[in-house]
Amino acid sequence: MTQFLSTAPYKGTRDFLPAEMSVRTQVFSKLYAVIESYGFERYDGPLLEPVELYEAKSGSELVNEQLFTLTDQGGRRLALRPEMTPSVARMIAANAPQLAFPARWYSHPNCHRYERPQKGRVREHWQINVDVFGSESLEAEVEIFELIHDMLCSLGAKPSQYEIRANDRVLAHSALRTYARIPDESLGKVMRVLDRWEKYPRDVVLKQLGELGLDSASITACEELTAKDFAGICAVAAPEDVAKSRLATILNSGMTNAAVRFDPLIVRGLDYYTSTVFEVFDTNPENRRSIFGGGRYDNLTALFSKQRIPGIGFGMGDVTLMDFLSGHGLAPAPNAGAQVVVLPLSPATRTPLKEAAARLRRAGLRVTTPHEDTQLGKELKKADKCGAKVAVIIGEDELARGKLVVRDLRRSTQREVAREDITAAVLAVLEHVD
Ligand code: HAM
C-alpha cells in the first residue's frame, strides 16, 4: 500500500492559509506604516549565518540549546538565524562609512529556535526588529518606548491592555553587587537565573542560585531584590550607578509619555545588552509570554570593527502579538479573496467578460473569472463559498442590448445595468454589503 507523507508542517512551524495570511498582512502593514512614520527604513539579511555570530554574545541558552545548526559542503558551521540583532550589527559595521547616524532600521525576518512548542513559543516565528544605531541619547530609548505605544494603538489596543516593563542592567548589577554581595564574575550567571524567576517554581530558582556557589545570605538578598520597587532598588544600588542608569534618569525625569513600569524581574536572556532592557506584556494572564523584548547594546558592532556604534531596539514576535489581538477582540477579519466573479453564459461572451473584469480590476477590485465554461448555478455556488460578494453575469441577449447583470450574492437579488455603468453598480453592492 502506498505510504503517504504527512501533511503536517514540521513540529513548531506553521502553515499560513490564505484567510490567516490576510489577517497577518493587514496587521503587519499597519505596523510597517507606523514604524516608517518614525523614519525607520526596512532592510533584510540572510537566513543562514555562521554559528560564531551567535556564540560571541547571544548567550549560552540560545547557542547551546536553541540553535538549528548545519554544516555546509565546505565544512562551515552555519545556523538558521535565531534572532536578527547580530546580523544587523554586522550589516551596520560593514556599511558604517556610508551611513548617516543615527540610523533607524527595521526588518521582519523569520527566526528559528529549537524550543519546546507551547503557548507563545514555536520553532519558527516572525519577528519585527526595530533598531536605532549610533545614538547615545536617552531620546533613543524614549523614541522606542513611544513607537511601541503607537504600534499597539494602531492595532486598536488600549494602554490598559499591555505593559512596557523595563529595567537597567547597570542598576541591576549594582544592586546585586552591593546588596547581595555578588562578585562581578558571577553577575551574568546570577542574572540568567533571575531571568527564570517567574517561569520556574521558587525552590528551583533558589536551588540554581545555590549551585552557582552563593551563600544563603546572598540568596536571600537576591530574592529580596526581585520584590523591590524602583525606589527600593535605587536605595540599595551604588549612588554613582543610579546616576549612570539611563532608565533611572528617564523614569525620574518623566521623559516619556508611554507608560513604562520598572520591573526588577526584567533581566533578558541575551548577553549583549548593556543598560536599558525591556519587555512588553499582554495584561491578559492567558498570554503570559512577552510580545516585545529589547534593550540597549553598546558593544555589539565591536565584534566586527574598531568603531563602537551603540544600538537600541526590540524584536516583536508574531505569535504573542496575534494571541494579544485575538484575546482582546482586535484581530481584523480576513479580506483577501475575490470580491467579484465575472461569469460568461456562453463561450461567445469571453471577450466582453475579459473587458468587464479588466475594468473592475482597474477600479481596485479583486476579480476572478472561471477557466472553464460550466453551469451558471454551479459557478454561483462556488463564488459564494469563496466569499465573493458580487457576480457579474454576461449573456448574449443582454450584450446585444449593451447590458450586463449584476448580482448581489448575499441578498440573491440582481439587476441589469449598462456596460459602462458596471463599476459603479458593483461598488454600490459592495458598499451595501460591507
Ligand atoms: P527576544 O526577547 O529573544 O529578543 O525575542 C523578541 C520577541 O520575539 C519575544 O518577545 C517574542 O515575542 C518573540 N519570540 C522569541 N522567541 C520566540 C519563540 N520561540 N516563539 C515565538 N516567539 C518568540 C531578541 O530576539 C532580540 N534580538 C530583540 C532585539 C532587537 N533586541 C534589540 N534589538
Side-chain angles (χ1 to χ4, degrees), residues 342-396:
V342 184
L343 304 173
L345 279 184
S346 71
T349 56
R350 278 253 161 212
T351 303
L353 162 136
K354 293 209 168 188
E355 279 164 17
R359 194 189 277 236
L360 293 169
R361 287 179 185 133
R362 278 197 299 276
L365 296 172
R366 302 187 299 272
V367 183
T368 59
T369 57
H371 293 157
E372 279 139 30
D373 298 316
T374 54
Q375 288 165 357
L376 181 65
K378 272 193 194 159
E379 287 299 331
L380 287 176
K381 269 198 202 127
K382 226 194 280 174
D384 199 36
K385 192 171 169 193
C386 294
K389 309 282 190 303
V390 188
V392 174
I393 303 161
I394 307 190
E396 286 181 50

CSV table of all heavy atoms in Angstrom, one decimal, residues 342-396:
chain,number,residue,atom,x,y,z
A,342,VAL,N,-16.8,37.3,-12.5
A,342,VAL,CA,-17.4,37.7,-13.7
A,342,VAL,C,-17.7,36.4,-14.5
A,342,VAL,O,-16.7,35.6,-14.7
A,342,VAL,CB,-16.5,38.7,-14.5
A,342,VAL,CG1,-17.3,39.1,-15.8
A,342,VAL,CG2,-16.2,39.9,-13.7
A,343,LEU,N,-18.9,36.1,-14.8
A,343,LEU,CA,-19.3,34.8,-15.3
A,343,LEU,C,-19.9,34.9,-16.7
A,343,LEU,O,-20.8,35.7,-17.0
A,343,LEU,CB,-20.3,34.1,-14.4
A,343,LEU,CG,-19.9,34.0,-12.9
A,343,LEU,CD1,-21.0,33.4,-12.1
A,343,LEU,CD2,-18.7,33.0,-12.8
A,344,PRO,N,-19.4,34.1,-17.7
A,344,PRO,CA,-19.9,34.1,-19.1
A,344,PRO,C,-21.1,33.1,-19.1
A,344,PRO,O,-21.0,32.0,-18.6
A,344,PRO,CB,-18.7,33.7,-19.9
A,344,PRO,CG,-17.9,32.8,-19.0
A,344,PRO,CD,-18.2,33.2,-17.6
A,345,LEU,N,-22.1,33.4,-19.9
A,345,LEU,CA,-23.2,32.5,-20.0
A,345,LEU,C,-22.9,31.6,-21.2
A,345,LEU,O,-23.5,30.5,-21.4
A,345,LEU,CB,-24.5,33.2,-20.2
A,345,LEU,CG,-25.2,33.6,-18.9
A,345,LEU,CD1,-26.6,34.2,-19.2
A,345,LEU,CD2,-25.3,32.5,-17.9
A,346,SER,N,-22.0,32.0,-22.1
A,346,SER,CA,-21.6,31.1,-23.3
A,346,SER,C,-20.2,31.5,-23.7
A,346,SER,O,-19.7,32.6,-23.4
A,346,SER,CB,-22.6,31.4,-24.4
A,346,SER,OG,-22.3,32.7,-24.9
A,347,PRO,N,-19.5,30.6,-24.4
A,347,PRO,CA,-18.1,30.9,-24.8
A,347,PRO,C,-18.0,32.2,-25.6
A,347,PRO,O,-17.0,32.8,-25.6
A,347,PRO,CB,-17.8,29.6,-25.7
A,347,PRO,CG,-18.7,28.6,-25.2
A,347,PRO,CD,-20.0,29.2,-24.8
A,348,ALA,N,-19.1,32.5,-26.3
A,348,ALA,CA,-19.1,33.7,-27.2
A,348,ALA,C,-18.9,35.0,-26.3
A,348,ALA,O,-18.6,36.1,-26.9
A,348,ALA,CB,-20.3,33.8,-28.0
A,349,THR,N,-19.2,34.9,-25.0
A,349,THR,CA,-19.1,36.2,-24.2
A,349,THR,C,-17.8,36.3,-23.5
A,349,THR,O,-17.6,37.1,-22.6
A,349,THR,CB,-20.3,36.3,-23.2
A,349,THR,OG1,-20.2,35.1,-22.4
A,349,THR,CG2,-21.6,36.4,-23.9
A,350,ARG,N,-16.8,35.5,-23.9
A,350,ARG,CA,-15.5,35.5,-23.2
A,350,ARG,C,-14.8,36.9,-23.4
A,350,ARG,O,-14.2,37.4,-22.4
A,350,ARG,CB,-14.5,34.4,-23.7
A,350,ARG,CG,-14.8,33.1,-23.1
A,350,ARG,CD,-13.6,32.7,-22.2
A,350,ARG,NE,-14.1,31.7,-21.3
A,350,ARG,CZ,-13.7,31.5,-20.0
A,350,ARG,NH1,-12.8,32.4,-19.5
A,350,ARG,NH2,-14.1,30.6,-19.3
A,351,THR,N,-14.8,37.4,-24.6
A,351,THR,CA,-14.1,38.7,-24.8
A,351,THR,C,-14.7,39.8,-23.9
A,351,THR,O,-14.0,40.5,-23.2
A,351,THR,CB,-14.1,39.1,-26.3
A,351,THR,OG1,-13.5,37.9,-26.9
A,351,THR,CG2,-13.3,40.3,-26.6
A,352,PRO,N,-16.1,40.0,-24.0
A,352,PRO,CA,-16.6,41.1,-23.1
A,352,PRO,C,-16.4,40.8,-21.6
A,352,PRO,O,-16.3,41.7,-20.8
A,352,PRO,CB,-18.1,41.1,-23.4
A,352,PRO,CG,-18.4,40.0,-24.4
A,352,PRO,CD,-17.0,39.5,-24.9
A,353,LEU,N,-16.3,39.5,-21.3
A,353,LEU,CA,-16.1,39.1,-19.9
A,353,LEU,C,-14.7,39.7,-19.5
A,353,LEU,O,-14.5,40.3,-18.4
A,353,LEU,CB,-16.1,37.6,-19.8
A,353,LEU,CG,-15.4,36.9,-18.6
A,353,LEU,CD1,-16.3,35.8,-18.0
A,353,LEU,CD2,-14.1,36.4,-18.9
A,354,LYS,N,-13.7,39.5,-20.3
A,354,LYS,CA,-12.3,40.0,-20.0
A,354,LYS,C,-12.3,41.5,-19.9
A,354,LYS,O,-11.7,42.0,-19.0
A,354,LYS,CB,-11.4,39.5,-21.1
A,354,LYS,CG,-11.2,38.1,-21.1
A,354,LYS,CD,-9.8,37.6,-21.5
A,354,LYS,CE,-9.8,36.2,-21.2
A,354,LYS,NZ,-8.7,35.5,-21.3
A,355,GLU,N,-13.1,42.1,-20.8
A,355,GLU,CA,-13.1,43.6,-20.7
A,355,GLU,C,-13.7,44.1,-19.4
A,355,GLU,O,-13.2,45.0,-18.7
A,355,GLU,CB,-14.0,44.2,-21.8
A,355,GLU,CG,-13.3,44.2,-23.2
A,355,GLU,CD,-14.3,44.4,-24.3
A,355,GLU,OE1,-15.5,44.8,-24.1
A,355,GLU,OE2,-13.9,44.1,-25.5
A,356,ALA,N,-14.8,43.4,-19.0
A,356,ALA,CA,-15.5,43.8,-17.7
A,356,ALA,C,-14.6,43.6,-16.6
A,356,ALA,O,-14.5,44.4,-15.6
A,356,ALA,CB,-16.8,43.0,-17.6
A,357,ALA,N,-13.9,42.4,-16.5
A,357,ALA,CA,-13.0,42.1,-15.4
A,357,ALA,C,-11.9,43.1,-15.4
A,357,ALA,O,-11.6,43.6,-14.3
A,357,ALA,CB,-12.4,40.7,-15.6
A,358,ALA,N,-11.3,43.5,-16.5
A,358,ALA,CA,-10.2,44.4,-16.5
A,358,ALA,C,-10.7,45.8,-16.0
A,358,ALA,O,-10.0,46.4,-15.2
A,358,ALA,CB,-9.7,44.6,-18.0
A,359,ARG,N,-11.9,46.2,-16.4
A,359,ARG,CA,-12.4,47.5,-15.9
A,359,ARG,C,-12.6,47.5,-14.4
A,359,ARG,O,-12.2,48.4,-13.7
A,359,ARG,CB,-13.8,47.7,-16.6
A,359,ARG,CG,-14.3,49.1,-16.5
A,359,ARG,CD,-15.7,49.1,-17.0
A,359,ARG,NE,-15.8,49.2,-18.4
A,359,ARG,CZ,-16.5,50.1,-19.0
A,359,ARG,NH1,-17.1,51.0,-18.4
A,359,ARG,NH2,-16.6,50.1,-20.3
A,360,LEU,N,-13.1,46.4,-13.9
A,360,LEU,CA,-13.3,46.3,-12.4
A,360,LEU,C,-11.9,46.2,-11.7
A,360,LEU,O,-11.7,46.8,-10.6
A,360,LEU,CB,-14.1,45.0,-12.0
A,360,LEU,CG,-15.6,45.1,-12.5
A,360,LEU,CD1,-16.3,43.8,-12.4
A,360,LEU,CD2,-16.3,46.2,-11.8
A,361,ARG,N,-11.0,45.5,-12.2
A,361,ARG,CA,-9.6,45.5,-11.6
A,361,ARG,C,-9.0,46.8,-11.6
A,361,ARG,O,-8.3,47.2,-10.6
A,361,ARG,CB,-8.7,44.5,-12.4
A,361,ARG,CG,-9.1,43.0,-12.1
A,361,ARG,CD,-8.3,42.0,-12.8
A,361,ARG,NE,-8.8,40.7,-12.6
A,361,ARG,CZ,-8.9,39.8,-13.6
A,361,ARG,NH1,-8.7,40.1,-14.9
A,361,ARG,NH2,-9.4,38.6,-13.3
A,362,ARG,N,-9.2,47.6,-12.7
A,362,ARG,CA,-8.6,48.9,-12.7
A,362,ARG,C,-9.2,49.8,-11.6
A,362,ARG,O,-8.6,50.7,-11.2
A,362,ARG,CB,-8.8,49.6,-14.1
A,362,ARG,CG,-7.8,49.1,-15.1
A,362,ARG,CD,-7.8,50.1,-16.3
A,362,ARG,NE,-9.1,50.2,-17.0
A,362,ARG,CZ,-9.5,49.3,-18.0
A,362,ARG,NH1,-8.7,48.3,-18.4
A,362,ARG,NH2,-10.7,49.4,-18.5
A,363,ALA,N,-10.4,49.5,-11.2
A,363,ALA,CA,-11.0,50.3,-10.1
A,363,ALA,C,-10.6,49.8,-8.8
A,363,ALA,O,-11.1,50.2,-7.7
A,363,ALA,CB,-12.6,50.1,-10.2
A,364,GLY,N,-9.6,48.8,-8.7
A,364,GLY,CA,-9.0,48.4,-7.5
A,364,GLY,C,-9.7,47.2,-6.9
A,364,GLY,O,-9.4,46.8,-5.7
A,365,LEU,N,-10.6,46.5,-7.6
A,365,LEU,CA,-11.4,45.4,-7.0
A,365,LEU,C,-10.6,44.1,-7.3
A,365,LEU,O,-9.9,44.0,-8.3
A,365,LEU,CB,-12.8,45.4,-7.6
A,365,LEU,CG,-13.6,46.6,-7.2
A,365,LEU,CD1,-15.0,46.6,-8.0
A,365,LEU,CD2,-13.9,46.6,-5.8
A,366,ARG,N,-10.9,43.1,-6.5
A,366,ARG,CA,-10.3,41.8,-6.7
A,366,ARG,C,-11.3,40.9,-7.4
A,366,ARG,O,-12.4,40.7,-6.9
A,366,ARG,CB,-10.0,41.1,-5.3
A,366,ARG,CG,-9.0,42.0,-4.5
A,366,ARG,CD,-8.5,41.3,-3.3
A,366,ARG,NE,-9.6,41.0,-2.4
A,366,ARG,CZ,-10.1,41.8,-1.4
A,366,ARG,NH1,-9.5,43.0,-1.2
A,366,ARG,NH2,-11.1,41.4,-0.6
A,367,VAL,N,-11.0,40.5,-8.6
A,367,VAL,CA,-11.9,39.9,-9.6
A,367,VAL,C,-11.4,38.5,-10.1
A,367,VAL,O,-10.2,38.5,-10.5
A,367,VAL,CB,-12.1,40.8,-10.8
A,367,VAL,CG1,-13.2,40.3,-11.7
A,367,VAL,CG2,-12.5,42.2,-10.3
A,368,THR,N,-12.3,37.5,-10.1
A,368,THR,CA,-11.9,36.3,-10.8
A,368,THR,C,-12.8,36.0,-12.0
A,368,THR,O,-14.0,36.5,-12.0
A,368,THR,CB,-11.9,35.1,-9.9
A,368,THR,OG1,-13.2,34.9,-9.3
A,368,THR,CG2,-10.9,35.2,-8.7
A,369,THR,N,-12.3,35.2,-12.9
A,369,THR,CA,-13.2,34.7,-14.0
A,369,THR,C,-12.9,33.2,-14.1
A,369,THR,O,-11.8,32.7,-13.8
A,369,THR,CB,-12.7,35.4,-15.3
A,369,THR,OG1,-11.4,35.1,-15.6
A,369,THR,CG2,-12.9,36.9,-15.3
A,370,PRO,N,-14.0,32.4,-14.4
A,370,PRO,CA,-13.8,31.0,-14.5
A,370,PRO,C,-12.9,30.6,-15.7
A,370,PRO,O,-12.8,31.2,-16.7
A,370,PRO,CB,-15.2,30.4,-14.7
A,370,PRO,CG,-16.0,31.5,-15.3
A,370,PRO,CD,-15.3,32.8,-14.8
A,371,HIS,N,-12.1,29.5,-15.4
A,371,HIS,CA,-11.2,29.0,-16.5
A,371,HIS,C,-12.0,28.1,-17.5
A,371,HIS,O,-11.6,27.9,-18.6
A,371,HIS,CB,-10.1,28.2,-15.9
A,371,HIS,CG,-9.1,29.0,-15.1
A,371,HIS,ND1,-8.3,28.5,-14.2
A,371,HIS,CD2,-8.9,30.4,-15.2
A,371,HIS,CE1,-7.6,29.5,-13.6
A,371,HIS,NE2,-8.0,30.6,-14.2
A,372,GLU,N,-13.1,27.5,-17.0
A,372,GLU,CA,-13.9,26.6,-17.9
A,372,GLU,C,-15.3,27.1,-18.0
A,372,GLU,O,-15.8,27.8,-17.1
A,372,GLU,CB,-13.9,25.2,-17.3
A,372,GLU,CG,-12.6,24.4,-17.6
A,372,GLU,CD,-12.2,23.6,-16.5
A,372,GLU,OE1,-13.0,23.2,-15.7
A,372,GLU,OE2,-10.9,23.4,-16.3
A,373,ASP,N,-16.0,26.7,-19.1
A,373,ASP,CA,-17.4,27.1,-19.2
A,373,ASP,C,-18.2,26.0,-18.5
A,373,ASP,O,-18.3,24.9,-19.0
A,373,ASP,CB,-17.8,27.1,-20.7
A,373,ASP,CG,-17.0,28.2,-21.4
A,373,ASP,OD1,-16.8,29.3,-20.9
A,373,ASP,OD2,-16.4,27.9,-22.5
A,374,THR,N,-18.8,26.4,-17.4
A,374,THR,CA,-19.6,25.4,-16.7
A,374,THR,C,-21.0,26.0,-16.5
A,374,THR,O,-21.2,27.1,-16.9
A,374,THR,CB,-19.0,25.1,-15.3
A,374,THR,OG1,-18.8,26.3,-14.6
A,374,THR,CG2,-17.7,24.3,-15.4
A,375,GLN,N,-21.8,25.3,-15.7
A,375,GLN,CA,-23.2,25.9,-15.5
A,375,GLN,C,-23.1,27.1,-14.5
A,375,GLN,O,-22.4,27.1,-13.5
A,375,GLN,CB,-24.0,24.8,-14.8
A,375,GLN,CG,-24.4,23.7,-15.8
A,375,GLN,CD,-24.9,22.5,-15.0
A,375,GLN,OE1,-25.0,22.5,-13.8
A,375,GLN,NE2,-25.3,21.5,-15.8
A,376,LEU,N,-24.0,28.0,-14.8
A,376,LEU,CA,-24.1,29.2,-14.0
A,376,LEU,C,-24.4,28.9,-12.5
A,376,LEU,O,-23.7,29.5,-11.6
A,376,LEU,CB,-25.2,30.2,-14.6
A,376,LEU,CG,-25.3,31.5,-13.8
A,376,LEU,CD1,-24.1,32.3,-14.0
A,376,LEU,CD2,-26.6,32.3,-14.3
A,377,GLY,N,-25.3,28.0,-12.3
A,377,GLY,CA,-25.7,27.7,-10.9
A,377,GLY,C,-24.5,27.2,-10.1
A,377,GLY,O,-24.3,27.7,-9.0
A,378,LYS,N,-23.7,26.3,-10.7
A,378,LYS,CA,-22.5,25.8,-10.0
A,378,LYS,C,-21.5,26.9,-9.7
A,378,LYS,O,-20.9,27.0,-8.7
A,378,LYS,CB,-21.8,24.7,-10.9
A,378,LYS,CG,-22.4,23.4,-10.8
A,378,LYS,CD,-21.4,22.4,-11.5
A,378,LYS,CE,-22.1,21.1,-11.6
A,378,LYS,NZ,-21.4,20.3,-12.6
A,379,GLU,N,-21.3,27.8,-10.7
A,379,GLU,CA,-20.3,28.9,-10.5
A,379,GLU,C,-20.8,29.8,-9.4
A,379,GLU,O,-20.0,30.3,-8.7
A,379,GLU,CB,-20.2,29.6,-11.9
A,379,GLU,CG,-19.4,28.9,-12.9
A,379,GLU,CD,-17.9,28.5,-12.5
A,379,GLU,OE1,-17.4,29.3,-11.7
A,379,GLU,OE2,-17.4,27.5,-12.9
A,380,LEU,N,-22.1,30.1,-9.4
A,380,LEU,CA,-22.6,31.0,-8.3
A,380,LEU,C,-22.4,30.4,-6.9
A,380,LEU,O,-22.0,31.1,-6.0
A,380,LEU,CB,-24.1,31.3,-8.5
A,380,LEU,CG,-24.4,32.2,-9.7
A,380,LEU,CD1,-25.9,32.4,-9.9
A,380,LEU,CD2,-23.8,33.6,-9.5
A,381,LYS,N,-22.6,29.1,-6.8
A,381,LYS,CA,-22.4,28.4,-5.5
A,381,LYS,C,-20.9,28.5,-5.1
A,381,LYS,O,-20.5,28.8,-4.0
A,381,LYS,CB,-22.8,26.9,-5.6
A,381,LYS,CG,-24.2,26.7,-5.2
A,381,LYS,CD,-24.5,25.3,-4.9
A,381,LYS,CE,-26.0,25.0,-5.1
A,381,LYS,NZ,-26.3,23.9,-5.9
A,382,LYS,N,-20.0,28.2,-6.1
A,382,LYS,CA,-18.6,28.3,-5.9
A,382,LYS,C,-18.2,29.7,-5.4
A,382,LYS,O,-17.4,29.9,-4.5
A,382,LYS,CB,-17.9,27.9,-7.2
A,382,LYS,CG,-16.7,26.9,-7.0
A,382,LYS,CD,-15.8,26.9,-8.2
A,382,LYS,CE,-16.4,26.1,-9.3
A,382,LYS,NZ,-15.5,26.1,-10.5
A,383,ALA,N,-18.7,30.7,-6.1
A,383,ALA,CA,-18.4,32.1,-5.8
A,383,ALA,C,-18.8,32.4,-4.4
A,383,ALA,O,-18.0,33.1,-3.6
A,383,ALA,CB,-19.1,33.0,-6.8
A,384,ASP,N,-20.0,31.9,-4.0
A,384,ASP,CA,-20.4,32.2,-2.6
A,384,ASP,C,-19.5,31.5,-1.6
A,384,ASP,O,-19.1,32.1,-0.6
A,384,ASP,CB,-21.9,31.7,-2.5
A,384,ASP,CG,-22.6,32.3,-1.3
A,384,ASP,OD1,-22.3,33.5,-1.0
A,384,ASP,OD2,-23.3,31.5,-0.6
A,385,LYS,N,-19.1,30.3,-1.9
A,385,LYS,CA,-18.2,29.5,-1.0
A,385,LYS,C,-16.9,30.3,-0.8
A,385,LYS,O,-16.2,30.3,0.2
A,385,LYS,CB,-18.0,28.1,-1.6
A,385,LYS,CG,-17.3,27.2,-0.6
A,385,LYS,CD,-17.4,25.8,-1.2
A,385,LYS,CE,-16.5,24.9,-0.4
A,385,LYS,NZ,-16.3,23.6,-1.1
A,386,CYS,N,-16.4,30.9,-1.9
A,386,CYS,CA,-15.1,31.6,-1.9
A,386,CYS,C,-15.2,33.0,-1.2
A,386,CYS,O,-14.2,33.7,-1.0
A,386,CYS,CB,-14.5,31.8,-3.2
A,386,CYS,SG,-14.1,30.2,-4.0
A,387,GLY,N,-16.4,33.4,-0.8
A,387,GLY,CA,-16.6,34.6,-0.1
A,387,GLY,C,-16.8,35.8,-1.0
A,387,GLY,O,-16.8,37.0,-0.6
A,388,ALA,N,-17.0,35.6,-2.4
A,388,ALA,CA,-17.3,36.7,-3.3
A,388,ALA,C,-18.6,37.3,-2.9
A,388,ALA,O,-19.5,36.7,-2.5
A,388,ALA,CB,-17.2,36.3,-4.7
A,389,LYS,N,-18.7,38.7,-3.1
A,389,LYS,CA,-20.0,39.3,-2.8
A,389,LYS,C,-20.8,39.6,-4.0
A,389,LYS,O,-22.0,39.8,-3.8
A,389,LYS,CB,-19.7,40.7,-2.0
A,389,LYS,CG,-18.7,40.6,-0.9
A,389,LYS,CD,-19.3,40.0,0.4
A,389,LYS,CE,-18.5,40.1,1.6
A,389,LYS,NZ,-17.2,39.5,1.6
A,390,VAL,N,-20.2,39.7,-5.1
A,390,VAL,CA,-20.9,40.2,-6.3
A,390,VAL,C,-20.6,39.2,-7.5
A,390,VAL,O,-19.4,38.9,-7.7
A,390,VAL,CB,-20.6,41.6,-6.8
A,390,VAL,CG1,-21.5,42.1,-7.9
A,390,VAL,CG2,-20.6,42.6,-5.6
A,391,ALA,N,-21.6,38.9,-8.3
A,391,ALA,CA,-21.3,38.2,-9.6
A,391,ALA,C,-21.8,39.1,-10.7
A,391,ALA,O,-22.8,39.8,-10.6
A,391,ALA,CB,-22.1,36.9,-9.7
A,392,VAL,N,-20.9,39.2,-11.8
A,392,VAL,CA,-21.3,40.0,-13.0
A,392,VAL,C,-21.6,38.9,-14.0
A,392,VAL,O,-20.7,38.1,-14.3
A,392,VAL,CB,-20.2,41.0,-13.4
A,392,VAL,CG1,-20.6,41.6,-14.7
A,392,VAL,CG2,-20.0,42.0,-12.3
A,393,ILE,N,-22.8,38.8,-14.5
A,393,ILE,CA,-23.1,37.7,-15.4
A,393,ILE,C,-23.3,38.3,-16.9
A,393,ILE,O,-24.0,39.3,-17.0
A,393,ILE,CB,-24.4,37.0,-15.0
A,393,ILE,CG1,-24.2,36.5,-13.5
A,393,ILE,CG2,-24.8,35.9,-15.9
A,393,ILE,CD1,-25.5,36.2,-12.8
A,394,ILE,N,-22.6,37.7,-17.8
A,394,ILE,CA,-22.6,38.2,-19.2
A,394,ILE,C,-23.3,37.2,-20.1
A,394,ILE,O,-22.8,36.2,-20.4
A,394,ILE,CB,-21.2,38.5,-19.6
A,394,ILE,CG1,-20.5,39.4,-18.6
A,394,ILE,CG2,-21.2,39.2,-21.0
A,394,ILE,CD1,-19.2,40.0,-19.0
A,395,GLY,N,-24.5,37.6,-20.6
A,395,GLY,CA,-25.2,36.7,-21.5
A,395,GLY,C,-25.3,37.4,-22.9
A,395,GLY,O,-25.2,38.6,-23.0
A,396,GLU,N,-25.5,36.6,-23.9
A,396,GLU,CA,-25.5,37.1,-25.3
A,396,GLU,C,-26.7,38.1,-25.5
A,396,GLU,O,-26.5,39.1,-26.1
A,396,GLU,CB,-25.6,36.0,-26.3
A,396,GLU,CG,-24.3,35.3,-26.4
A,396,GLU,CD,-24.3,34.1,-27.4
A,396,GLU,OE1,-24.7,34.4,-28.5
A,396,GLU,OE2,-23.8,33.0,-27.0
